[in-house]
Amino acid sequence: MGLFDNAVPGGNITKPLMIALGALLVGKMLSGRSAEQPDQAQAPAPADPTPVGTGSGDGGLLGGLGGLLDKLKNAGHGNVADSWVGTGQNQSINANELGNAIGPQVIREIAQRTGLDEQELLKQLSAALPGIVDKLTPNGQVPQQHQVASAFNS
């Protein structure tokens, strides 16, 4: 995967994990190039008042990297998210805290698309996200959405 080779502990980014990361960060990774997939339209409306944004072009389920970081900050994990973006040591987040921050609807949808159990998905995401976000923000700045998409396509 080039850019992400050493971003994940053990260096192993499985296809389901890559799909999950893409679902969060790059919308077109969810279901091909089109954001207007019939199975997305059938997804029930989230209980969370914050829109999930499945139709937000290439923004991923949470509105891209910025949306993911906002979700973490709003859930009280701002220091953790900032450590991933910043140039210092990345703080870890446990799977349950990550799941609560992202929201059960989003986790359920990603789990269905990857074929992973929700707990396994959260375990893998909690291990991978600190390194992936760190790689996507090498200068401590959140990149534009097209730059995140380019990183996933390289």
Side-chain angles (χ1 to χ4, degrees), residues 2 4 20 31 46 48 53 58 63 82 104 109 118 125 135 139-140 148 152:
F4 303 127
S31 52
D48 181 347
D58 284 347
D82 289 344
E109 184 167 338
E118 290 180 27
L125 282 175
K135 290 287 185 185
N139 302 315
V148 173
F152 274 86

Side-chain angles (χ1 to χ4, degrees), residues 120-144:
E120 180 60 25
L121 171 67
L122 285 169
K123 179 181 163 194
Q124 288 189 31
L125 282 175
S126 65
L129 276 173
I132 297 293
V133 173
D134 188 57
K135 290 287 185 185
L136 290 171
T137 58
N139 302 315
Q141 299 292 317
V142 177
Q144 296 293 315

Side-chain angles (χ1 to χ4, degrees), residues 26-37 40 57-58 149 153:
V26 186
K28 69 182 173 188
M29 297 283 292
L30 246 179
S31 52
R33 286 237 174 246
S34 173
E36 302 172 39
Q37 293 291 324
Q40 285 183 353
D58 284 347
N153 291 330

Side-chain angles (χ1 to χ4, degrees), residues 50-61:
T50 308
V52 175
T54 53
S56 62
D58 284 347
L61 290 176

